[in-house]
Amino acid sequence: MTVCSHMLAGFSLGYHQRHKLLQTLESTPTIASILELEPRQLAADKIKVLALDFDGVLASHGSALPLPEAILWLQSCQELFGEERIFILSNKPTDERSRWFAETFPAIRFIAGVRKKPYPDGLETVARLAGVSPAAVLMVDDRLLTGCLAALNAGARPCYIRHPFVSYRHRPLAELFFQLLRGAERVFIRLACRF
Ligand SMILES: [Mg+2]
């Protein structure tokens, strides 16, 4: 099953990058949500391109559309970076999401048809399309062993969202599963670094 294979890849590839993942996890300041990411500060840190995860980062798990506050944040990023330098790199690039972006932010590109995170393919595609080195790409993700690991594997920069958007009211089982998975990732990385 493909869902399982990229999760398993996360744990095996994650072991090799465990020290850098721990650094990502412990980097300060901890970013609770994208709303704490100031576009001007990102640009000052030599970030030229944003690759954004969707679930947990722009909306709660499985939502069709970004949250209103995430839309406002996207607008402020768009003004500074330009839409053509923002990409959505989700392991679930659904048609509904893709259509909404095509109508609302037509130049923000959805990356699909590549091997899922944690493989570096999506971020390599982002860097190629934007014409920048992977080091200028910031991958914003709420998962250490998918998005953050993909960033490390591609030579891009990871930004770990520590307190993602969740909605237990809408999808209690899925949210619980992913919260447990996020916690398991953190435990795995801390334990792996002892070896
Ligand atoms: Mg996510």
Side-chain angles (χ1 to χ4, degrees):
M1 212 161 84
T2 54
V3 172
C4 289
S5 72
H6 80 269
M7 283 184 183
L8 289 175
F11 282 93
S12 60
L13 296 171
Y15 183 76
H16 294 288
Q17 296 276 18
R18 60 195 183 280
H19 296 294
K20 285 187 177 169
L21 283 166
L22 185 64
Q23 224 172 29
T24 304
L25 172 58
E26 293 184 339
S27 62
T28 50
T30 302
I31 301 299
S33 86
I34 49 164
L35 307 179
E36 290 180 13
L37 279 178
E38 169 55 47
R40 280 186 197 287
Q41 186 57 49
L42 296 178
D45 290 340
K46 298 191 169 47
I47 298 295
K48 294 195 171 94
V49 171
L50 297 178
L52 307 172
D53 178 39
F54 193 99
D55 296 279
V57 170
L58 297 176
S60 59
H61 188 83
S63 295
L65 311 180
L67 286 166
E69 54 268 45
I71 296 172
L72 290 175
W73 180 81
L74 278 170
Q75 280 165 349
S76 63
C77 291
Q78 166 205 32
E79 284 159 19
L80 195 78
F81 291 95
E83 265 184 49
E84 70 289 349
R85 296 221 152 183
I86 303 174
F87 294 81
I88 306 298
L89 182 54
S90 164
N91 280 353
K92 295 189 197 72
T94 64
D95 288 346
E96 199 176 13
R97 293 171 175 181
S98 168
R99 266 199 309 276
W100 182 87
F101 270 93
E103 284 163 14
T104 317
F105 294 102
I108 291 184
R109 282 168 278 185
F110 247 72
I111 302 298
V114 292
R115 282 194 302 170
K116 292 180 173 189
K117 301 172 285 185
Y119 295 107
D121 309 34
L123 283 162
E124 288 167 354
T125 304
V126 165
R128 184 171 43 78
L129 290 173
V132 300
S133 119
V137 179
L138 184 71
M139 176 76 232
V140 183
D141 210 296
D142 62 318
R143 293 282 313 282
L144 285 164
L145 294 183
T146 59
C148 294
L149 180 54
L152 296 173
N153 289 335
R157 288 158 67 178
C159 173
Y160 182 49
I161 298 294
R162 190 68 169 75
H163 298 289
F165 296 124
V166 293
S167 173
Y168 284 103
R169 194 161 58 89
H170 288 104
R171 290 177 181 78
L173 287 179
E175 293 288 22
L176 181 65
F177 173 74
F178 282 103
Q179 284 291 51
L180 291 172
L181 194 57
R182 291 177 189 114
E185 288 179 337
R186 292 191 287 266
V187 170
F188 170 78
I189 288 160
R190 289 186 196 284
L191 285 176
C193 282
R194 294 186 183 182
F195 297 98

